[in-house]
Amino acid sequence: MNKRLAILGSTGSIGTQTLNIVRAFPDKFSVEVLTAQHQADLLIQQAAEFRPNAVVIGEEALYSTVNDALSPLDIKVFAGQKSIASIVEMSSIDLVVVALVGYAGLMPTHNALQHGKPVALANKETLVVAGERITALAAAKKLPILPIDSEHSAIFQCLQGEFHNPIDKLILTASGGPFFGKKAQELEHIRPEEALRHPKWKMGAKVTIDSATLMNNGLEMMEAHWLFQVPPKDIEVVVHPQSIVHSMVQFADHSVKAQLGMPDMELPIAYALSYPLRLPVDLPELSFKDLRSLTFSEPDTGTFRCLALAYRMMEQGGSAPCSMNAANEEAVAAFLRGDIQFLHISDVIEKTLEKASFERHPDMPDFVRLDEEARIIAKELIMQLKKRQ
Ligand code: MG
């Protein structure tokens, strides 16, 4: 049985690791579609190796570069965001891997489910923005959303064989990021290079900065809420700097199940691709003899305000997480450009939320409008902060 994959965001961190799995198990998987935003050279290289039926380059100006390179190989080439969202409709796709960064993951995921495709989801923002709609759609179509995010994969693994045993509590582990234990005055002049140096996980820039601010854990709480239908008050975040326990589930009898492993994204990716079977992936083994200690502590939400903010927005519900996510994406991009300071990220989000419109029951067009509105507000705040620097 060969599973035919569409990999959206194939040149990013999750995308390239997904292709490592495909390369290691050629009898189990083949590539039907690859998409990339800007990295035309890598996309061409991947297409030449994996010979998909079609590729999409997001940046329309790069269409002819990709098309010229791939025309001798009989690979269809498309360009633009709309093509990324519609390519998932191809009847020859068995599983759509959504490895896109940020809000950009929403429309392609929605479209894949709408057209009857199971989804392996690495993009947490899709559920942060529109979790209620997306999970209802998956349920109505009887399609799985297989989590690739390591914490959610851990919970998903812990729930196997539990049938309908109710969940008492989810315990999400957070690495704490590179600034764990630091106080606000030490964080003021952090440079992007320092925030990008994650101690345990190799990831893309957006999620690495989110890990440093703890917004990542806020987004993961929201993602867990929708995936496992557990109320936010029963989702606890604990800081676990070793990143060995990937998350835990507590049941009604207070028995706790955990999933452990070395911090390597190829493990959750492989599990999502081959669920319910496990693949003999060539990953480092966890050595219990060499593990000195596993530590757990409460996150410092006074210093890292984004996590508390995420709980507040989840409580508010409706379109609040959509606006929060848009403001965060703009603030993180501005920090990476050097336009604002590290501690300004939470300020920009908080002030955007004060001004953003609110919808109690947003539908898909509302999300598009409110995402755009929050970005305009956040960009204005960023301009003001930049001028003051
Ligand atoms: Mg994660």
Side-chain angles (χ1 to χ4, degrees):
M1 191 205 72
N2 190 294
K3 212 178 260 179
R4 294 164 297 178
L5 309 176
I7 305 172
L8 312 186
S10 66
T11 56
S13 172
I14 298 291
T16 52
Q17 292 179 84
T18 302
L19 288 172
N20 290 345
I21 304 286
V22 176
R23 191 181 290 117
F25 299 95
D27 54 326
K28 295 221 163 19
F29 309 107
S30 62
V31 177
E32 194 62 14
V33 171
L34 294 173
T35 85
Q37 192 53 34
H38 309 284
Q39 293 193 62
D41 290 346
L42 183 53
L43 180 67
I44 292 164
Q45 198 187 312
Q46 292 176 338
E49 182 183 351
F50 292 96
R51 301 297 173 102
N53 189 339
V55 303
V56 187
I57 181 82
E59 188 65 62
E60 289 179 39
L62 294 169
Y63 171 75
S64 53
T65 309
V66 179
N67 193 44
D68 292 351
L70 297 181
S71 63
L73 300 178
D74 190 30
I75 296 171
K76 295 184 204 82
V77 179
F78 303 95
Q81 304 314 313
K82 287 206 171 109
S83 300
I84 294 179
S86 62
I87 197 86
V88 299
E89 296 169 21
M90 268 169 56
S91 61
S92 52
I93 298 167
D94 297 318
L95 178 68
V96 178
V97 180
V98 184
L100 298 164
V101 180
Y103 175 83
L106 176 60
M107 289 308 165
T109 306
H110 183 265
N111 220 15
L113 293 168
Q114 192 79 53
H115 287 83
K117 313 289 180 192
V119 169
L121 189 64
N123 175 274
K124 60 196 82 179
E125 291 87 348
T126 289
L127 293 177
V128 166
V129 173
E132 191 169 8
R133 297 247 154 204
I134 293 290
T135 52
L137 177 60
K141 299 268 184 186
K142 296 192 168 59
L143 292 167
I145 298 175
L146 301 156
I148 287 182
D149 205 348
S150 63
E151 293 76 11
H152 307 75
S153 174
I155 292 165
F156 185 60
Q157 293 178 56
C158 290
L159 292 174
Q160 298 309 310
E162 290 295 340
F163 308 100
H164 296 293
N165 281 328
I167 297 166
D168 191 49
K169 187 160 88 172
L170 295 179
I171 303 149
L172 288 175
T173 51
S175 70
F179 311 129
F180 172 57
K182 290 211 187 313
K183 290 289 161 201
Q185 69 266 29
E186 301 171 82
L187 296 174
E188 226 167 282
H189 300 293
I190 292 290
R191 283 168 293 130
E193 310 88 84
E194 298 169 83
L196 285 170
R197 234 176 276 137
H198 195 281
K200 292 287 173 203
W201 293 98
K202 265 202 311 264
M203 307 176 290
K206 160 73 166 52
V207 58
T208 306
I209 301 301
D210 284 344
S211 296
T213 63
L214 297 198
M215 178 53 97
N216 186 50
N217 310 106
L219 302 178
E220 290 185 343
M221 173 273 292
M222 293 176 171
E223 184 186 6
H225 164 67
W226 292 118
L227 278 174
F228 307 110
Q229 306 289 324
V230 172
K233 69 169 181 45
D234 297 329
I235 306 176
E236 193 176 291
V237 174
V238 293
V239 178
H240 169 49
Q242 298 84 15
S243 295
I244 296 293
V245 175
H246 297 315
S247 277
M248 300 175 261
V249 182
Q250 179 175 303
F251 295 94
D253 55 1
H254 292 182
S255 169
V256 177
K257 278 168 86 172
Q259 186 263 334
L260 284 73
M262 295 295 282
D264 192 314
M265 286 310 294
E266 285 190 23
L267 198 153
I269 294 168
Y271 191 70
L273 295 188
S274 65
Y275 171 80
L277 303 176
R278 290 184 185 273
L279 293 172
V281 279
D282 186 22
L283 291 174
E285 226 175 287
L286 187 57
S287 164
F288 284 90
K289 288 182 301 214
D290 300 330
L291 269 184
R292 295 256 161 68
S293 65
L294 297 176
T295 60
F296 301 91
S297 58
E298 207 174 330
D300 174 3
T301 51
T303 305
F304 300 92
R305 286 170 26 232
C306 287
L307 180 56
L309 202 60
Y311 271 95
R312 262 195 353 251
M313 291 309 113
M314 189 75 244
E315 194 99 332
Q316 206 171 90
S319 63
C322 170
S323 305
M324 181 197 80
N325 178 69
N328 182 53
E329 286 186 21
E330 292 299 329
V332 169
F335 169 69
L336 287 170
R337 289 194 304 268
D339 288 353
I340 61 169
Q341 293 181 3
F342 184 75
L343 293 172
H344 287 152
I345 296 175
S346 52
D347 294 343
V348 168
I349 302 167
E350 216 158 29
K351 293 205 175 102
T352 300
L353 287 164
E354 284 168 18
K355 294 184 179 173
S357 323
F358 179 75
E359 289 285 343
R360 171 58 54 203
H361 299 290
D363 56 17
M364 294 306 281
D366 291 328
F367 289 128
V368 175
R369 179 172 56 82
L370 294 165
D371 172 83
E372 217 164 282
E373 184 206 72
R375 283 173 201 271
I376 292 167
I377 300 168
K379 278 180 185 158
E380 267 169 33
L381 293 163
I382 289 162
M383 284 268 281
Q384 290 163 14
L385 285 165
K386 192 184 170 186
K387 271 191 218 142
R388 259 193 269 148
Q389 266 193 45

